[in-house]
Amino acid sequence: MDLKESFIKNRFVITSEIQPPLDEDFRELIENIEKIRGRLDAVTVPEFDIEGVVADSIGTCGILRENKFDPILQTGTREKNRLDLQSFLVKAFEKGVKNILAFTEDYRITGDSLQEIMFFHVDSGKLFSVVDSLKGGHDVAGKDLKKSAEFFVGSGIDSACGRNVPDLELKEMEEMVRLGTGYFLTTPVFDLDEFQKFMKRVEPFKVPVIAEVILLKSANTGHFINRYLKKGLVPGRIIQKLAKAPDKEKASIEIFTDIIKGLKDICHGVHLIPLGWEGKIPRFLDAAKL
Amino acid sequence: MIRSITQQKPMAEIIGHCEGASKVFIVGCGTCTTLTRTGGQPEVVKMADRLREANKEVTGWMVLPVACDELTSEALEENRDAIAGADTLLIMTCAFGVQTIAMHIDKPVVPALDTLFIGKEKAPGLFGEICVQCGECVLADTGGICPVAGCHKGMVNGPCGGTNKGKCEIDSNKDCVWTLIYEKLEKLGRLDRMRAYQPPKNYHVEPRPGRIIIPFDARSEDDGTKL
């Protein structure tokens, strides 16, 4: 299981996000992903979740490596200046991390400790400048490092394309391609028709695109996403289906299966956001024949 | 005109800061806080009533024309007796005014307001932040619209993924500044500027606290005062 190799071999790539445990008890996490060993190409480890800060993401990547999983270290670059990013990436490389997923992190409007300062000194484009420095064997100030660190970098992008000024997002993607991104990861996909239009427009980049798919636990999850992530992202028909369903998990699996069925022909893979349903991923993968 | 935008602190906090002071003199400002309805005459009069309800004696009040102006010391002289009779001054100006008054009066000063940002009135009753004084102006590349002040994240290389139909992901009542910049550049025929790469910002152009000394030769009407 190696992410870069999976892309080279033109496989339909499957990745999933996991939440590093705050208490550093990794047993449940490893138990859950053991159930899907061989079916995932890589596992992403975020620095933040929607509620706040997660545990040591680099340490979690190290645990995943020890257990023979390919980790993707997700860094939103929030609350980090370039020096922080530099030491963060060097430490990650020492822990065996080969994949980075870079994007501009959300401005947090829900969860705990909202009074804490948030800053975005480094956008995802500038993160590449740090990655490039390390690849060249020097730090951001140009001083030589003992060894270089090279990563396979993915970029987070908005599949809704900036809405009323669609080519804004494409310009950012062009820049990411120029900087050498290995793949794109989209924002959550629910509307397949819109996503297909997006895919047609980005096809000329010849860079693999992975669609993010959220496992919706209930209608409330849909409302939450529409309220806090992006208004109108989860369509009303999906929320209604979940609200009316007596068996929420069954309805969620059906919604997931429909989305995956559509995505298989139009993009290069999917990235799962289990939102606490890590243990149930096998049922979703089985139903969608992944 | 630039304005210092303020909002009143919770009354419990104001009363808490006035603890131990039975006599209070209130100062408002005829400029920014009058405009924002946080420290003009009606607000000062209302505050006097509320202090009396909290068993404080109000020895007097005044609304300075421009609290941050150097003439403030002379204006305060007009109420010398009422100020002398007070244990504390409750200041309903922005932090510039509070500090200016504190320089001239040897009495405890209590700010009644929190200073939020430097902005301007964009429409009647609507105040917006215009400049955060970042020290590295990027307006040449952004159609004269500031992304550092106008974007919640201060993004200088295009929008984040949260722009939604021209609005911001944080607050759908706020415009996405990068959409405004895009539209302005399109109108100017300068969309190529969207590609202008802004290198990492220098956060130490003028380290805080800022202090600039104008070279002696550049002072057209130098009065010989040492800075």
Side-chain angles (χ1 to χ4, degrees), chain B residues 96-135:
Chain B
F96 293 94
V98 177
Q99 294 184 57
T100 305
I101 292 164
M103 275 195 298
H104 298 295
I105 300 281
D106 288 329
K107 292 260 179 193
V109 291
V110 170
L113 313 179
D114 287 318
T115 305
L116 303 179
F117 58 87
I118 307 301
K120 68 181 290 185
E121 192 168 24
K122 293 180 168 181
L126 171 67
F127 299 91
E129 195 165 8
I130 301 295
C131 172
V132 295
Q133 293 123 342
C134 72

Side-chain angles (χ1 to χ4, degrees), chain A residues 82 104-107 109 120-121 123 126 129 158 162-165 167-169 171-172 174 229-231, chain B residues 152-153 155-157 159-166 169-170 179 182-183 194-195 197-200 203:
Chain A
R82 295 204 309 159
T104 305
E105 184 62 71
D106 290 338
Y107 191 103
I109 51 173
F120 301 80
H121 287 185
D123 57 35
K126 290 197 196 89
S129 72
D158 182 14
R163 307 294 169 97
N164 61 340
V165 279
D167 49 336
L168 269 184
E169 189 71 18
K171 283 177 197 302
E172 188 184 349
E174 272 175 42
L229 288 188
K230 189 164 277 190
K231 198 176 173 182
Chain B
H152 266 288
K153 298 177 179 175
M155 310 292 296
V156 291
N157 279 305
C160 72
T163 176
N164 195 2
K165 294 180 180 161
E169 67 173 348
I170 313 301
T179 304
Y182 182 92
E183 287 168 351
M194 283 297 294
R195 288 174 199 278
Y197 172 69
Q198 302 294 342
Y203 291 94

Side-chain angles (χ1 to χ4, degrees), chain A residues 89-282:
Chain A
L89 293 178
V90 168
K91 191 175 160 196
F93 192 75
E94 291 295 324
K95 283 277 182 186
V97 175
K98 289 187 286 181
N99 311 303
I100 298 286
L101 176 60
F103 56 92
T104 305
E105 184 62 71
D106 290 338
Y107 191 103
R108 209 155 55 81
I109 51 173
T110 178
D112 49 22
S113 305
L114 286 178
Q115 74 277 19
E116 296 301 324
I117 192 165
M118 269 180 269
F119 62 86
F120 301 80
H121 287 185
V122 183
D123 57 35
S124 53
K126 290 197 196 89
L127 171 69
F128 272 82
S129 72
V130 182
V131 171
D132 262 353
S133 300
L134 300 180
K135 187 177 165 184
H138 55 85
D139 66 13
V140 288
K143 283 184 187 163
D144 285 341
L145 295 170
K146 282 180 185 167
K147 57 182 173 183
S148 60
E150 190 168 351
F151 296 98
F152 180 61
V153 187
S155 308
I157 41 145
D158 182 14
S159 57
C161 269
R163 307 294 169 97
N164 61 340
V165 279
D167 49 336
L168 269 184
E169 189 71 18
L170 293 188
K171 283 177 197 302
E172 188 184 349
M173 290 176 76
E174 272 175 42
E175 188 63 15
M176 294 300 179
V177 172
R178 193 184 66 75
L179 291 165
T181 194
Y183 68 100
F184 288 115
L185 171 68
T186 72
T187 41
V189 174
F190 293 99
D191 186 331
L192 289 166
D193 292 337
E194 280 300 312
F195 186 66
Q196 191 154 21
K197 285 181 206 161
F198 168 76
M199 285 304 297
K200 273 193 183 154
R201 301 180 64 206
V202 303
E203 203 183 345
F205 291 134
K206 303 289 176 203
V207 171
V209 176
I210 296 184
E212 186 168 287
V213 182
I214 293 180
L215 310 191
L216 288 172
K217 291 156 87 172
S218 65
N220 279 344
T221 314
H223 287 306
F224 182 89
I225 290 167
N226 283 348
R227 186 170 174 192
Y228 290 115
L229 288 188
K230 189 164 277 190
K231 198 176 173 182
L233 187 64
V234 185
R237 62 182 165 79
I238 288 183
I239 291 178
Q240 279 161 22
K241 179 171 177 157
L242 283 163
K244 285 179 190 165
D247 183 342
K248 307 293 179 204
E249 186 179 321
K250 185 167 172 275
S252 180
I253 289 177
E254 283 170 11
I255 293 163
F256 177 80
T257 308
D258 285 346
I259 294 173
I260 299 294
K261 201 174 160 186
L263 289 175
K264 269 183 183 169
D265 297 326
I266 52 179
C267 67
H268 307 89
V270 287
H271 175 59
L272 312 182
I273 305 290
L275 293 181
W277 270 4
E278 284 83 357
K280 295 182 180 183
I281 292 175

Side-chain angles (χ1 to χ4, degrees), chain B residues 28-30 33-35 37-45 63 92:
Chain B
C29 177
T33 61
T34 290
L35 196 73
R37 282 86 162 158
T38 48
Q41 185 169 325
E43 295 77 36
V44 168
V45 169
V63 176
M92 299 180 74

